[in-house]
Amino acid sequence: MTQAEWIENAEKIVAKWRRGEGLERFHANALLQVMIYELIMDYECGQGGAESDMVDVVVSYISSHYRQNLELKELAALAGCSVRQLQRRFKQEKQLGPMEYVIQLRMENASRMLHHTDAPIGEIADKMGYRDMYYFSRAFKKYYGVPPLRYRLAAASETDANYAHSLLRNRLASSYESAQGPVICHMRGEYTVTELPQRIAVLDVQYADHLIALGLSPAGSVGVGSATFHFPQYIRAGLQTTELLGTYEYPDLLAVERLSPDLIICTEVHDQHVERLSRIAPVIMFKRNESWQNILSLFGELTGKRAEAKRILADYHRRTALLSEELAPVLAGKSVALIRPLDSLVRVHSAAHRTGAVLYRDLGLPVPLFVSDTADTAYHISVDRLTAVQASHYFLLSNELMQDGISATEQRVWGMLDTGERQQIHSVDAATWIGCYGPTGINGIVDQIEQALLA
């Protein structure tokens, strides 16, 4: 709008208010003064560029200073206009007033802190510019409809549910150093090792193996078996003083309570018990199928046995590298399959399976073309199709010990493969090969592979 247009508009307003328009002359003059002031300020601010520039300046300032005690007069002075003019233009641009915009930024950032941090409500209030926590709580409730604490709990249950579920399936355990000590990152959060735990309860036998390998014994551990619970033979000697806590699938929670451990280590299978377990002691949850080498390193951090864990891993890598070289000429032109008979099918494991990784990755054994694709840990086929695998050696994961005898499917597998060269079928205990993934168990598997293929 040009200067002439502004003057013409001002003159019209002057004429209007001089006529009174039903108001007393005093009131008309007072309102006229205000309107003329607004018009003049509009014109002067508009000379500097687009009207939105003024709003942009204020928005930028608020974004950097919303935690401070801002006043409308201060913002208007910054924009070089009146308070009323700023409010009007700001609302045109942002659909809310300047101070409402300040509150919006405060509430949005408070929401992020409530959602993504464990910061106390008072600390959040202070960061958002509220010196009174209770005033902040009232303002937050007015904005979101619920108090800050309830918002935090609701947000966690609603938006973190899928994220937590994803972590249960995909998150890899890790660690990092902090000023307080090593921090173990697991499926349920983080555990800071401020003091070395003395009484550890483990709800998977593989973790008992990890502790024994490091020269320690768990205070309590689950065992194996169904009718009679027991510890696996290969680590039994190291568990003489360890209390039996049921089985992996059915842990005895009362026994865990009586044990009074200072740390409990479990897997995602025990997610339903975590709330109760957490009332007994801090809980660390690892993914059951996590690499045993990674878990051993974390146990080294957890127990102050970092050097021992590194030595065990170095020895294993050295051993498998040497054995791989020894097996290469023996298996030239051949392949090795890892199979497990089920109720009516046969599972053929790939290198993506944990035990398959020992055969195919660590020892470099030749993989049958049938399972060269590692998109899945195993492929299920009928017994009749087993010959299509075309392996020279079969490690058969037998359920004989678990089922008190060979199943009908396993018998059929033997019939399909036993063609007079029985030495090519190596029956091994399924419970040990797929259920015990500590250092001792893994080295035991390597022992059996070495014995079978070099005999």
Side-chain angles (χ1 to χ4, degrees):
M1 184 178 292
T2 65
Q3 183 175 5
E5 290 172 331
W6 282 116
I7 294 173
E8 181 181 358
N9 193 35
E11 289 175 346
K12 289 180 180 179
I13 294 175
V14 169
K16 178 180 179 181
W17 288 106
R18 278 180 177 172
R19 290 195 299 268
E21 296 288 327
L23 297 176
E24 293 181 359
R25 188 176 185 84
F26 176 79
H27 290 155
N29 287 338
L31 290 171
L32 177 62
Q33 291 175 4
V34 172
M35 294 300 295
I36 292 175
Y37 177 78
E38 291 288 333
L39 286 168
I40 294 171
M41 292 304 297
D42 280 351
Y43 174 73
E44 290 179 348
C45 289
Q47 290 295 93
E51 292 183 358
S52 59
D53 290 348
M54 178 182 70
V55 175
D56 291 340
V57 169
V58 176
V59 166
S60 178
Y61 184 83
I62 291 175
S63 297
S64 301
H65 300 82
Y66 69 88
R67 297 177 179 85
Q68 299 175 8
N69 184 24
L70 300 178
E71 294 184 1
L72 267 174
K73 291 181 179 179
E74 174 188 1
L75 298 177
L78 179 69
C81 63
S82 71
V83 168
R84 288 187 59 186
Q85 181 186 353
L86 175 63
Q87 287 178 312
R88 184 173 67 252
R89 288 192 174 171
F90 205 100
K91 200 156 190 175
Q92 289 174 350
E93 294 278 339
K94 297 295 181 181
Q95 288 73 55
L96 73 171
M99 300 313 295
E100 290 173 310
Y101 186 73
V102 172
I103 293 172
Q104 176 178 286
L105 288 182
R106 288 178 172 180
M107 294 300 112
E108 287 178 351
N109 283 276
S111 169
R112 292 190 188 96
M113 289 195 69
L114 288 166
H115 186 76
H116 298 295
T117 77
D118 295 325
I121 305 299
E123 180 181 334
I124 295 175
D126 186 65
K127 287 182 179 296
M128 294 305 116
Y130 294 93
R131 299 296 174 261
D132 186 334
M133 182 180 74
Y134 298 101
Y135 181 80
F136 163 72
S137 296
R138 289 194 297 272
F140 190 94
K141 183 178 180 180
K142 182 178 180 181
Y143 192 87
Y144 282 105
V146 293
L149 183 57
R150 186 179 299 175
Y151 179 90
R152 169 176 272 169
L153 295 174
S157 62
E158 288 180 9
T159 62
D160 286 352
N162 291 335
Y163 178 65
H165 184 63
S166 176
L167 286 181
L168 289 179
R169 291 178 299 172
N170 303 317
R171 184 176 183 182
L172 297 178
S174 60
S175 67
Y176 66 89
E177 290 294 329
S178 73
Q180 292 74 36
V183 178
I184 308 299
C185 304
H186 59 100
M187 296 173 68
R188 278 280 178 165
E190 297 183 348
Y191 176 81
T192 304
V193 187
T194 54
E195 295 182 2
L196 299 181
Q198 301 300 314
R199 293 177 58 77
I200 302 176
V202 296
L203 302 189
D204 193 314
V205 172
Q206 63 178 310
Y207 303 145
D209 188 343
H210 284 295
L211 290 172
I212 292 171
L214 294 172
L216 304 169
S217 293
S221 171
V222 295
V224 296
S226 53
T228 304
F229 306 156
H230 61 275
F231 294 129
Q233 181 63 42
Y234 72 97
I235 57 171
R236 196 172 296 172
L239 298 172
Q240 296 296 318
T241 61
T242 300
E243 294 290 331
L244 187 61
L245 303 176
T247 64
Y248 170 73
E249 293 85 356
Y250 303 103
D252 187 341
L253 301 185
L254 289 176
V256 178
E257 290 177 347
R258 290 193 297 269
L259 184 68
S260 298
D262 53 14
L263 181 65
I264 300 171
I265 303 178
C266 64
T267 76
E268 72 274 18
V269 172
H270 307 112
D271 188 58
Q272 60 182 316
H273 305 304
V274 166
E275 184 176 349
R276 182 173 175 183
L277 292 171
S278 298
R279 292 197 292 266
I280 302 171
V283 174
I284 291 178
M285 180 185 288
F286 293 130
K287 188 176 181 181
R288 190 181 189 230
N289 291 327
E290 181 106 27
S291 162
W292 70 271
Q293 299 179 46
N294 184 41
I295 295 299
L296 180 64
S297 296
L298 295 177
F299 267 72
E301 299 278 355
L302 184 65
T303 61
K305 298 280 187 175
R306 204 177 286 179
E308 290 85 343
K310 288 183 178 179
R311 177 185 54 77
I312 292 170
L313 292 173
D315 289 346
Y316 175 78
H317 292 310
R318 186 182 306 108
R319 180 192 182 191
T320 52
L322 292 173
L323 183 55
S324 177
E325 292 298 318
E326 191 175 357
L327 288 171
V330 176
L331 296 174
K334 301 179 181 180
S335 64
V336 179
L338 180 64
I339 63 174
R340 184 184 184 187
L342 301 175
D343 290 339
S344 59
L345 299 171
V346 177
R347 180 181 292 163
V348 187
H349 292 284
S350 73
H353 184 266
R354 285 199 299 177
T355 307
V358 176
L359 275 70
Y360 305 126
R361 184 195 64 201
D362 299 347
L363 291 173
L365 304 185
V367 184
L369 291 175
F370 191 90
V371 290
S372 58
D373 183 4
T374 58
D376 205 346
T377 59
Y379 296 85
H380 296 83
I381 61 174
S382 66
V383 179
D384 294 336
R385 291 192 60 216
L386 188 55
T387 54
V389 178
Q390 296 184 342
S392 307
H393 293 268
Y394 291 86
F395 283 95
L396 191 155
L397 300 171
S398 175
N399 296 319
E400 181 178 1
L401 296 179
M402 291 186 289
Q403 298 176 349
D404 297 325
I406 297 177
S407 67
T409 304
E410 193 169 330
Q411 289 176 344
R412 288 188 62 199
V413 169
W414 275 103
M416 291 289 296
L417 298 178
D418 188 9
T419 59
E421 298 179 355
R422 196 177 181 87
Q423 72 278 4
Q424 292 185 346
I425 308 173
H426 315 287
S427 181
V428 295
D429 177 36
T432 302
W433 274 52
I434 67 172
C436 303
Y437 285 101
T440 310
I442 292 294
N443 275 286
I445 291 173
V446 174
D447 288 340
Q448 294 181 55
I449 295 172
E450 180 178 10
Q451 184 177 1
L453 298 179
L454 292 180

